[in-house]
Every structure is written in C-alpha cells, then in structure tokens.
Amino acid sequence: MAILKSSNPQAVAEARPAELDASKLVVTLAKTLKPLPVPESLVFGQTQTDHMLVMNHDPVHGWSAPEIKPYAPLSLDPMSSCLQYCPNVFEGMKAYLGPDGKARLFRPRKNMERLARSADRVALPPFNTDALLTLIERFIQIEKRWIPTKPGYSLYIRPTIIGTRAALGVAASDSACIFVIVTPAGPYFRGGTKPISLLAVSESVRSWPGGTGGHKLGLNYAPGFAPQRIAAKQGYDQILWLLGDDQRVTEVGAMNFFLVAQRDDGDLDIITPPLDGTILPGLTRDSTLTLANAHTSGKLLLPSIPASQKLHTHERVLTMSEITALSAQGKIIESFGVGTAVVVAPVGRIGHEGKDLILPVHEAGLGPVGKAMYTVITDIQTGRRQFENWSVLCE
Ligand SMILES: *Cc1c(COP(=O)(O)O)cnc(C)c1O
C-alpha cells in the first residue's frame, strides 16, 4: 500500500477539498432528445429540457467534477438540510438569441456575484463564480436548440444551490448541490402589454431590516403565497409590499418598483426604493437606473424621450402617502415593476385601504420611460445594441 508523503505535491493537492473546476466537466448526452414544444403553447417554467448541470460539495472532497447529464430527478437523503432548514438559494437569468442566431447572456457576472452572496447569507459553502459561469455557458451551448427563435422568447436559466448535509442538527450545511436547469420562456404579456393591478399590503411583510429580503433565498417566497392568493381573490394581479408605520413601498410581487413623476422644470423624476437590505438588488433595476443616467449624461439617447428632457434618478424612501399625494396633483407619469422574467410591467391600479388609486393609462400599456427601457434592455439582451459589454456571447 502506498504511503502518501506530504512532500508529494499531488498528495497535498488531494488532501485539500477541491475548488469548483470547470475543466473537470463530464458531459453525458441524452440518448434521445425530447420534441420541442410549440412556442405559443409554453407556460412559464413548466417545460423540462434534455439535460441539467450538476455538481456536489462535501467538506472532505470539496467540489466534485461538474456534470452535464440527462435531465432526471435528484436523489436526496431525507435528512438533507434543504428539506428541513431551507439553506436554498437561486438565481433567475436568461439566454437570448441574437439576429445572428448566437446565444447571449445579459450581465451574467452580476447573477453569479448575487448567487455567491445569497449562498454566504445562509452559510452554504463558497464556490468559484467564474467556474460556474463557464459551466453555464457550456450548458447553454448544449441546450441551445431549446431557445425559441421567435422574437420575445428566451431560455430561462435557474441556477440553484441546496444544502445537502444529511443530519437533523440545526447547523450550517457543509454539503451542497449546485444544479442548473433551463426552461424555454415566452413573453410575459401575450397579445400586448397590459397594465397590472396591485393590492398594497402591510399586514404581511416580505422583508424587514436585518432580514433576508435583499438576497435570493428560497425561504423569502413561500410566505408570500397566502397573501398573493388573498390579493387574487380580490381581483388584483400582484402585491405591493409595504413596510413600517409610514407604509414605505418596497417591491411589487417579485419585481422592483419604479415611479416616474413630472417635475416643474419639465424633466422627470425616476424614483425607486434604496438598497437598504429589504430590497432585492435586481439587475433590471440596476440597468434601468444606469440607462436613465446614461440618457441624462448624453451617453445613450433613450428612444422617444427628448435629449433635452433629463431623467433624475432617486434611490430613496417612497411612502404610500407620497404616491397618493403625487397622484392627486396629477404628477405621476407612470409606475412599473422590473425583473428578468417580465423586463418591465406597467402598473395601472393600486388598491390601498379600501380605495383604488388609478394611474395614467398609456397606449400600448407602457408609459414613455417604461417603453424606452423595455426597448433598449431587450435590444441589448439580443445583441441588437451594444452597451458596456452587458451582453455576453455563450461561445
Ligand atoms: C429576482 C427578483 C427581482 C428582480 O431581479 P432581476 O435581477 O432584475 O431579475 C426583484 N425582486 C425580487 C424579490 C426578486 O426575487
């Protein structure tokens, strides 16, 4: 039997838990491929593709060789931490086809950084974010035929990390599984953008100071399902989550909230709540603020908004009473929610304390700023327009 000496560099390397290493990828392709669905028939998040990307961590060996293999159920010990204490985190991103037929990701490093922060928040083992991005790009190349070629369609990507420590003690999960699945997605609004209605809710809160609302943790979402059902019964599409005695607006369902108000000097104010830990730092939120500032500095001209009209961005507290007052003064131009799934969703009505606040109606659903953002962001995502290397080719 060989004795491992510490002077042997190979043995030293093997003794340490391994880093996540994309060059160790093992690809096993499915023997038969599934028929592609008719794009028009897609329901969000209900189509399984041919493959999945999986890698596991344990405290002794570190990260296993990543695998791309046929899509199949996972096998978990029933004591797994993820089934008990929810150390589960995820990301939402998309692959888009450009006019050249190439697959692209939108600011994917931001998703990887956010995933690493989420994992750290629930004490999951760290991973190399560059390696995971390289693996996701490889995975998208393999699943590329699932990206519908129709405009407005994309491949939704769901990187997920679950705690797999098989023990019931209430403690951090030192074992984990990263898996990435994809599903073809159609435009959020079929047959044209339609304003959504919101029920302002303060009895239940989505997030709170010192809580976890600023991270994409699975445990943030289930507590919203019962309030969402109540809102739906009252005829509202989504919840406008309020926080505190002053009824600060936080988010819309699982989207970031924006309000556009007319200023006396003819310019526009664009207001969104600040990243104080209760707000999920959305990529679409950041892109909206960056593009508005780029318009104002003259770096990029937003379509249909005059160059002379400046967009003043504000990341600050916005209360329901301020929104009600701005509405009464006729100063609200538009309000919208933003996120990867929808890009921009116009808000048409807010139910608050038994009354409905009606927001301005615009042709085609979106107001001037929302429409400009939708156009520019989707143009960058599909590679029709270049901006700051936001669009990354998957090859
Ligand atoms: C994912 C998410 C968003 C939107 O983030 P994007 O990066 O723009 O997709 C906003 N709010 C919540 C609560 C979310 O989970």
Side-chain angles (χ1 to χ4, degrees), residues 114 206 216 221 251 254-256 280 282-284 338-340:
R114 191 168 66 187
R206 193 195 83 84
K216 250 176 149 65
Y221 300 85
E251 297 202 43
M255 292 182 277
N256 292 118
L280 197 288
L283 263 77
T284 323
V338 301
T340 295

Side-chain angles (χ1 to χ4, degrees), residues 193-214:
T193 306
K194 196 175 118 292
I196 58 170
S197 55
L198 309 179
L199 179 63
V201 168
S202 50
E203 311 82 66
S204 316
V205 289
R206 193 195 83 84
S207 65
W208 49 88
T212 56

